Amino acid sequence: MEQKQISKAVISRLPRYYRYLGELLEDGVERISSGELSAKMKVTASQIRQDLNNFGGFGQQGYGYNVKYLYMEIAKILGLDRPHGLIIIGAGNLGQAIANYTNFERRGFIIKGMFDINPALIGRVVRGVEIRDARELEPFIAENDVQIAALTIPKTMAPEMADRLVKAGIKAIWNFAHTDLVVPDDVVVENVHLSESLMRLSYRVCSMQEQKEKERERAAKKKRP
Ligand code: NAI
């Protein structure tokens, strides 16, 4: 496949394409036009064509897109065609929730280990994965094929832990702690902040309410003699 430099904006949209195409595959759909995909995803057909043209154009005039082929090509681009070893640092509420979510494994993210400092948690097993003492972290990373670390510890602990992970060879941090991490250029961080997402939702629902309020006021003014 011919692949040119793909913009971050396009990359950020790929997981959504991947999810929709996966659903189409499950429904037995073999091909789809950009128009049909556009109606399903609520993205314009031209945006879809532009996005997918980045990968050498999987679509054919009059045929549309081959769903399976497109799904597999996007998987390759996203690196989902190979397994990724993942460890979870912090086996509290969030760490255990992630470990209990089986879908990550279906996507190739294999939870290899969990680590904590709380003696009451160390030794417990969550869906087949033992919670280990955080002191065992470095040798574990050295001996196991681990690429990604999920950071689900308090934010005060996160920068120091990130340094340890980087020194131990971790190249990707899935950061849930509410703090910005400073890492070398060859390490990638993906911040996940549910509360920020909730704030955006709050903004949208409030602006919608304000808009309706204004419309009501305008309508009431018009009615007045
Ligand atoms: P929790 O208190 O249930 O779990 C935190 C765990 O980290 C505890 O078991 C604790 O013993 C362990 N821990 C503390 N320092 C450690 C260290 N140096 N090494 C290894 N383990 C250590 O807290 P919860 O609810 O699971 O939240 C964890 C973190 O995730 C918090 O920072 C919280 O603010 C954040 N969070 C972020 C969300 C997001 O959307 N980004 C959503 C929910 C929580």
Side-chain angles (χ1 to χ4, degrees):
M1 181 189 50
E2 208 182 294
Q3 199 176 313
K4 51 185 175 181
Q5 196 64 34
I6 304 164
S7 78
K8 274 191 186 162
V10 176
I11 297 288
S12 71
R13 288 194 286 271
L14 287 187
R16 192 153 176 263
Y17 285 117
Y18 185 73
R19 181 159 56 82
Y20 272 88
L21 290 163
E23 284 170 13
L24 288 168
L25 263 186
E26 276 172 20
D27 293 344
V29 178
E30 285 176 16
R31 59 173 149 150
I32 190 159
S33 67
S34 50
E36 287 167 315
L37 197 54
S38 145
K40 232 178 139 46
M41 292 183 62
K42 308 218 171 10
V43 178
T44 63
S46 78
Q47 168 95 80
I48 290 179
R49 281 193 296 270
Q50 253 179 39
D51 281 352
L52 302 182
N53 276 346
N54 275 286
F55 318 115
F58 302 129
Q60 274 172 36
Q61 198 78 37
Y63 175 90
Y65 296 99
N66 178 318
V67 174
K68 190 168 184 194
Y69 179 73
L70 192 51
Y71 180 78
M72 283 171 28
E73 288 301 317
I74 292 180
K76 270 192 230 164
I77 293 158
L78 292 175
L80 302 177
D81 57 337
R82 68 207 79 161
H84 297 279
L86 188 149
I87 51 173
I88 298 172
I89 317 296
N93 291 311
L94 187 56
Q96 292 197 30
I98 291 173
N100 274 314
Y101 186 56
T102 52
N103 233 9
F104 295 136
E105 257 141 53
R106 282 181 42 210
R107 297 259 183 268
F109 299 99
I110 315 298
I111 299 173
K112 299 253 175 149
M114 295 178 77
F115 295 87
D116 208 290
I117 51 170
N118 181 352
L121 290 175
I122 294 165
R124 282 202 211 167
V125 176
V126 183
R127 222 168 47 80
V129 181
E130 187 189 338
I131 301 174
R132 295 165 194 269
D133 190 324
R135 282 175 293 196
E136 293 170 25
L137 192 57
E138 284 80 1
F140 186 91
I141 293 172
E143 284 159 23
N144 290 275
D145 185 16
V146 181
Q147 216 181 19
I148 305 173
L151 212 49
T152 52
I153 57 175
K155 68 173 182 183
T156 48
M157 306 285 185
E160 190 191 324
M161 179 51 80
D163 286 347
R164 261 179 83 184
L165 290 166
V166 168
K167 279 197 191 107
I170 288 292
K171 291 290 173 210
I173 299 178
W174 197 22
N175 178 34
F176 288 84
H178 295 289
T179 187
D180 294 325
L181 302 173
V182 181
V183 294
D185 287 346
D186 64 341
V187 176
V188 287
V189 177
E190 177 73 23
N191 296 306
V192 185
H193 297 314
L194 297 182
S195 47
E196 288 180 11
S197 173
L198 209 47
M199 285 179 216
R200 283 191 286 273
L201 191 65
S202 157
Y203 167 77
R204 285 170 60 196
V205 74
C206 289
S207 355
M208 207 163 64
Q209 279 164 352
E210 275 168 28
Q211 189 67 31
K212 278 200 180 137
E213 201 58 47
K214 275 184 197 152
E215 277 164 21
R216 260 198 297 270
E217 274 169 25
R218 248 180 266 138
K221 255 188 206 166
K222 263 192 195 164
K223 270 191 191 165
R224 266 182 236 140

